[in-house]
Amino acid sequence: MDPSTQGWQPHPQYAPRPPVNGLSIASLVLGIVCCLPPLGLVLGLISLSQIKKKGERGKGMAVAGTVLSSLSTALLAVALATGGIGEAWDGFKEGMDKASRSRSTLDLRKGDCFNLPGSGAVERETTDVEVVDCASEHEAEVAGGFKVRGYETYPGESRLDSLADTRCQEVNDGYAMDPWAVPKGTEMYYYLPTKESWRLGDKIVTCAFVIDGGVVQGSVRRDAKSLDDHQLVYLKAESAIASTEYAVPEEDFADNAEGYRDWARQTSVALAEQAGVLRGHSWPGAAAGPAEERAKEYERARVHWDKAARAQDEDAFWTHSYDGQDTLERTTEISVRGPLGLEATPPADETDETDAPVDESGGPAEETGVPAEETGA
């Protein structure tokens, strides 16, 4: 019977397609990724032989893999002969090492030393920096930080900047208690939360030191955890005197004479207290004599500040206050520092640590700070 009369057509029967040779696939993959090129070449040649014998598919892949692997093998031979492979490996390791040292500014911790991201990036917003060993050359060092409190919404960059200016000064002073050990050109530096990071819960201001236009080796850290008892007592005494002397009123003397006299009285009290501290401490042998002489200088300086506190005119006030500052001798301070193992070379950019900076009105310029809630270990 003619099948066409039944309303249907017979389906043709096709022979099954031969399988793809697995080695041809492997050869192509190895050829493309340049991984173990000699192996890719060998697998390509074997797959071509198997394809011919078994009638399998994959000849195009095997040929491509063989060609690519041959080229990779030739390039590898040249690199080994010229040393290029070593340079490439060194570059790879250097890149991986640098990447491992990259850290988010949110993850910086007290004591971390780091490099700024690119030349002249001090004022640039950044998210990552390169953390390095403090013993190697670096541009900045983290002193600690504080959490901004009292603001539900982002307070704005200007407000955060104002907070950082005052509170980071306290954080940095507590981290580097010996100002003589801070390299010349070192400045206060900080990272503020951005509006975007604030939304994610970032309310930490990171305080640091930065070397103005240069690098430094070694840490500036001289805090309570890294100083011995003798060093700590001495540096706290000097800091207390300096802090009081710099707490000058903002107004001119003529507008706030009593405020200036009160400042002089506070300085006198601080000198008396710290003289007692130096005398009450048990100093190691070589430091005992110089520490006693420093205590005597405190007391002699106190006499001048007492006179300033009683002065009725501006000229007399400044005469007595400057005499009080001049009584504290640099040489005596050096003689105490040496036996205590502290830096005994005065800062290169200062002529006399006890001379307060002078403002346009002729009085010392103000330096203030408020206690900070520190973060980090």
Side-chain angles (χ1 to χ4, degrees), residues 81 186 209 363:
T186 302
F209 292 94

Side-chain angles (χ1 to χ4, degrees), residues 103-114 129 131-134 138 140-146 167-177 189 191 204-209 219-227 232 372-377:
R103 186 178 303 175
S104 167
T105 54
L106 300 178
D107 295 328
L108 287 173
R109 294 294 180 265
K110 184 177 182 178
D112 284 343
C113 292
F114 63 96
V129 296
V131 176
V132 298
D133 190 331
C134 289
H138 57 273
E141 181 173 352
V142 179
F146 64 91
R167 302 188 69 178
C168 277
Q169 187 65 61
E170 283 288 325
V171 172
N172 284 20
D173 286 348
Y175 184 82
M177 297 181 67
Y189 185 68
Y191 283 119
I204 300 298
V205 174
T206 300
C207 308
F209 292 94
S219 173
V220 300
R221 187 170 191 167
R222 301 290 189 280
D223 60 5
K225 292 183 178 181
S226 60
L227 297 166
L232 194 58
E373 177 189 348
E374 292 191 34
T375 63

Side-chain angles (χ1 to χ4, degrees), residues 26-376:
S27 175
L28 179 61
V29 171
L30 291 174
I32 292 174
V33 301
C34 297
C35 177
L36 301 176
L39 178 59
L41 174 61
V42 172
L43 293 180
L45 295 175
I46 294 176
S47 68
L48 287 173
S49 176
Q50 291 180 347
I51 290 170
K52 184 176 181 180
K53 292 179 180 179
K54 300 179 180 180
E56 295 175 321
R57 292 182 295 124
K59 181 177 180 181
M61 291 187 289
V63 171
T66 301
V67 172
L68 291 174
S69 295
S70 298
L71 293 174
S72 299
T73 301
L75 291 174
L76 177 62
V78 173
L80 289 173
T82 61
I85 192 66
E87 294 179 3
W89 177 247
D90 290 341
F92 174 76
K93 290 196 297 181
E94 182 180 350
M96 291 297 293
D97 181 57
K98 187 172 183 178
S100 68
R101 297 198 305 269
S102 179
R103 186 178 303 175
S104 167
T105 54
L106 300 178
D107 295 328
L108 287 173
R109 294 294 180 265
K110 184 177 182 178
D112 284 343
C113 292
F114 63 96
N115 290 319
L116 302 175
S119 177
V122 173
E123 300 296 332
R124 190 177 71 188
E125 181 178 316
T126 185
T127 58
D128 298 282
V129 296
E130 180 192 12
V131 176
V132 298
D133 190 331
C134 289
S136 62
E137 290 187 343
H138 57 273
E139 298 172 316
E141 181 173 352
V142 179
F146 64 91
K147 187 173 184 177
V148 179
R149 300 185 182 279
Y151 298 92
E152 291 299 324
T153 59
Y154 182 67
E157 184 177 344
S158 60
R159 179 54 182 157
L160 291 175
D161 193 65
S162 178
L163 287 172
D165 273 341
T166 54
R167 302 188 69 178
C168 277
Q169 187 65 61
E170 283 288 325
V171 172
N172 284 20
D173 286 348
Y175 184 82
M177 297 181 67
D178 185 1
W180 288 25
V182 178
K184 180 180 179 180
T186 302
E187 300 176 352
M188 185 174 70
Y189 185 68
Y190 45 79
Y191 283 119
L192 304 175
T194 63
K195 190 173 183 178
E196 291 73 19
S197 68
W198 183 277
R199 294 196 188 103
L200 300 175
D202 171 30
K203 298 185 177 181
I204 300 298
V205 174
T206 300
C207 308
F209 292 94
V210 65
I211 309 303
D212 185 16
V215 295
V216 68
Q217 287 181 283
S219 173
V220 300
R221 187 170 191 167
R222 301 290 189 280
D223 60 5
K225 292 183 178 181
S226 60
L227 297 166
D228 63 38
D229 290 341
H230 308 302
Q231 295 170 332
L232 194 58
V233 167
Y234 173 72
L235 290 175
K236 281 186 174 181
E238 294 289 352
S239 177
I241 301 302
S243 297
T244 306
E245 287 188 351
Y246 283 110
V248 60
E250 293 183 2
E251 306 89 348
D252 292 339
F253 184 91
D255 298 326
N256 188 15
E258 187 54 38
Y260 276 86
R261 284 190 283 267
D262 185 59
W263 168 50
R265 283 189 287 269
Q266 292 177 22
T267 303
S268 173
V269 170
L271 287 163
E273 290 178 346
Q274 299 310 316
V277 169
L278 294 186
R279 284 210 170 97
H281 185 73
S282 179
W283 300 99
E292 172 62 24
E293 180 56 35
R294 192 62 168 173
K296 291 179 180 178
E297 287 184 355
Y298 284 175
E299 292 174 337
R300 291 196 294 270
R302 181 191 181 190
V303 173
H304 294 291
W305 282 99
D306 281 341
K307 292 179 180 179
R310 298 191 297 269
Q312 296 303 306
D313 63 86
E314 185 172 1
D315 288 342
F317 177 88
W318 289 117
T319 296
H320 294 309
S321 64
Y322 287 142
D323 286 344
Q325 294 170 9
D326 292 341
T327 300
L328 302 180
E329 297 287 345
R330 176 76 76 184
T331 53
T332 307
E333 193 170 359
I334 293 173
S335 68
V336 181
R337 285 173 163 275
L340 294 180
L342 295 170
E343 177 60 55
T345 302
D349 57 346
E350 296 182 13
T351 57
D352 189 342
E353 189 180 18
T354 60
D355 287 343
V358 178
D359 65 13
E360 294 180 357
S361 65
E366 182 185 17
E367 180 176 319
T368 60
V370 295
E373 177 189 348
E374 292 191 34
T375 63

